[in-house]
């Protein structure tokens, strides 16, 4: 009897065409699940008959309460090499091997600039007007050259965002709790004196930090109040970095010029979620990592992980 593998959240129905699964098809039946299952009880029922699960990033939590209900599960493959939504101790206790895949920082870097440029030049408003017979030129775009780009985080993605900003002729500053002047100098940007100074002086602020105890709620109502009324906020990292209610209030009250957001407190967003109708918001449904090359890596290496597991020598183990 072949093992059964569930591929979760295959919204675009591309998981099976993004990689060559033929290497495991003789031993594994692969089933693509296109609809997101948020309810843990429902998910436990759906996955009860699967031996292998492939999940994207941290979209689906696998806490102990779920893993304890999946006695048939033996291999869990999560895209990326870090996943805080998995209870690794519970996986180990239940005999579940957890493996990861590589993940490129290029797609979220590119989306960051797509959001920033879309906001600055009012592309959604102007495109909508052009296609519906609306006014010819109804907005005036914000310039990038000579403006200040403030980065919260200067790691792998943040440093590359900085390089693009410099290429646009922007003044680039950065801040994080552990950022040193040596690192800022290495990237060619200014080290901000404080988070507050960065927020007060930047025309565009972009977040590129990991979510943890020290960064959760990093930007609350008090911090957002420091932004200029002409400033734009971009978040392609994690929703928890920003107080969502405070951001919605700032957008509705016009206290900032706009925000570009790719990550949300609940995903997928419910149909009635206030983020769907907020003014001054350019939002995308967590597309940061969604690209052809990244999907080829995710699913291609998922196949490799399954092959290695079946051979008794798991690779890219997490935990």
């Amino acid at each position: 009897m072949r093992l059964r593998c569930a591929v979760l959240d295959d919204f675009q129905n591309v998981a099976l065409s993004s990689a060559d699964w033929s290497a495991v098809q003789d031993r594994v039946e692969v089933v693509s699940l296109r609809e997101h299952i948020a309810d843990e009880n429902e998910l436990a029922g759906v996955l009860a008959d699967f031996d292998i699960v492939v999940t994207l990033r941290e979209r689906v939590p696998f806490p102990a309460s779920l893993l304890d209900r999946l006695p048939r599960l033996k291999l869990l493959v999560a895209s990326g090499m870090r996943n805080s939504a998995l209870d690794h101790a519970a996986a180990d206790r239940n005999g579940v091997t957890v493996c990861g895949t590589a993940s490129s920082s290029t797609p979220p870097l590119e989306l960051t600039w797509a959001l920033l440029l879309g906001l600055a030049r009012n592309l959604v408003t102007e495109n909508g007007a052009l296609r519906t017979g609306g006014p010819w030129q109804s907005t005036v775009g914000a310039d990038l050259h000579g403006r200040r780009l403030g980065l919260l985080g200067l790691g792998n993605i943040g440093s590359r965002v900085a390089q693009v900003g410099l290429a646009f002729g922007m003044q680039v500053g950065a801040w994080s709790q552990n950022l040193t002047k040596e690192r800022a100098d290495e990237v060619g940007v200014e080290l901000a004196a404080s988070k507050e100074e960065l927020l007060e002086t930047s025309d565009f602020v972009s977040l590129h930090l990991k979510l943890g105890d020290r960064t959760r709620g990093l930007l609350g109502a008090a911090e957002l109040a420091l932004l200029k009324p002409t400033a734009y906020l971009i978040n392609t990292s994690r929703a928890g970095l920003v107080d969502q209610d405070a951001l919605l209030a700032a957008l509705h009250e016009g206290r900032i010029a706009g925000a570009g957001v790719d990550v949300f407190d609940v995903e997928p967003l419910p149909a009635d979620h206030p983020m769907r109708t907020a003014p001054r918001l350019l939002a995308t449904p967590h597309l940061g990592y969604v690209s052809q090359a990244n999907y080829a890596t995710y699913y291609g290496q998922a196949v490799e992980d399954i092959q290695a597991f079946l051979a008794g020598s798991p690779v890219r183990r997490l935990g």
Side-chain angles (χ1 to χ4, degrees), residues 148-152 154 172-176 179-181 184 189-202:
R148 182 172 174 81
L149 171 64
L151 300 174
L152 290 167
L154 199 63
V172 183
W175 178 90
S176 70
L179 183 60
T180 64
K181 187 177 186 304
V189 305
E190 176 188 348
L191 174 64
S194 65
K195 175 179 64 176
E196 290 73 20
E197 188 267 341
L198 184 82
L199 297 173
E200 291 172 341
T201 60
S202 295

Side-chain angles (χ1 to χ4, degrees), residues 77-133:
V77 179
S79 56
M81 291 302 294
R82 183 180 67 251
N83 196 311
S84 61
L86 304 178
D87 188 326
H88 294 280
D92 186 62
R93 185 178 69 249
N94 283 281
V96 178
T97 299
V98 181
C99 298
T101 73
S103 184
S104 172
S105 62
T106 298
L109 156 71
E110 294 173 349
L111 184 68
T112 295
W113 281 101
L115 290 173
L116 194 154
L117 289 165
L119 282 169
R121 300 306 295 267
N122 303 293
L123 293 188
V124 174
T125 298
E126 295 292 359
N127 178 257
L130 185 145
R131 294 172 65 88
T132 59

Side-chain angles (χ1 to χ4, degrees), residues 132-147:
T132 59
W136 185 263
Q137 296 185 2
S138 64
T139 65
V140 178
D143 296 284
L144 270 60
H145 185 86
R147 305 292 290 278

Side-chain angles (χ1 to χ4, degrees), residues 47-289:
L47 296 182
D49 295 328
F50 287 94
D51 309 274
I52 303 169
V53 171
V54 177
T55 183
L56 280 174
R57 307 296 295 169
E58 298 169 328
R59 182 179 293 157
V60 178
F62 278 84
S65 55
L66 175 59
L67 290 167
D68 289 344
R69 299 165 68 182
L70 301 175
R72 185 167 165 174
L73 181 63
K74 296 303 176 188
L75 174 64
L76 180 57
V77 179
S79 56
M81 291 302 294
R82 183 180 67 251
N83 196 311
S84 61
L86 304 178
D87 188 326
H88 294 280
D92 186 62
R93 185 178 69 249
N94 283 281
V96 178
T97 299
V98 181
C99 298
T101 73
S103 184
S104 172
S105 62
T106 298
L109 156 71
E110 294 173 349
L111 184 68
T112 295
W113 281 101
L115 290 173
L116 194 154
L117 289 165
L119 282 169
R121 300 306 295 267
N122 303 293
L123 293 188
V124 174
T125 298
E126 295 292 359
N127 178 257
L130 185 145
R131 294 172 65 88
T132 59
W136 185 263
Q137 296 185 2
S138 64
T139 65
V140 178
D143 296 284
L144 270 60
H145 185 86
R147 305 292 290 278
R148 182 172 174 81
L149 171 64
L151 300 174
L152 290 167
L154 199 63
N156 188 28
I157 297 177
S159 60
R160 297 177 69 188
V161 171
Q163 292 168 359
V164 177
L166 292 170
F168 273 117
M170 303 183 78
Q171 303 170 25
V172 183
W175 178 90
S176 70
Q177 291 169 325
N178 296 322
L179 183 60
T180 64
K181 187 177 186 304
E182 290 73 22
R183 171 60 178 165
D185 289 344
E186 178 184 334
V187 178
V189 305
E190 176 188 348
L191 174 64
S194 65
K195 175 179 64 176
E196 290 73 20
E197 188 267 341
L198 184 82
L199 297 173
E200 291 172 341
T201 60
S202 295
D203 300 293
F204 299 87
V205 174
S206 189
L207 291 94
H208 302 285
L209 294 164
K210 298 176 183 177
L211 181 62
D213 292 338
R214 294 197 305 169
T215 59
R216 188 177 301 278
L218 185 73
L219 298 188
E223 288 78 18
L224 293 175
L226 298 175
L227 292 170
K228 302 175 183 179
T230 55
Y232 297 89
L233 179 69
I234 314 295
N235 187 8
T236 57
S237 294
R238 290 290 184 268
L241 298 171
V242 182
D243 183 312
Q244 300 295 284
D245 291 337
L247 176 58
L248 283 168
L251 292 169
H252 278 284
E253 296 167 14
R255 289 189 275 108
I256 59 175
V261 174
D262 186 50
V263 287
F264 306 92
D265 53 356
V266 179
E267 296 184 10
L269 275 181
D272 59 350
H273 195 286
M275 277 289 186
R276 287 187 179 269
T277 55
R280 304 177 181 85
L281 178 67
L282 176 55
T284 48
H286 206 155
L287 299 179
Y289 59 86

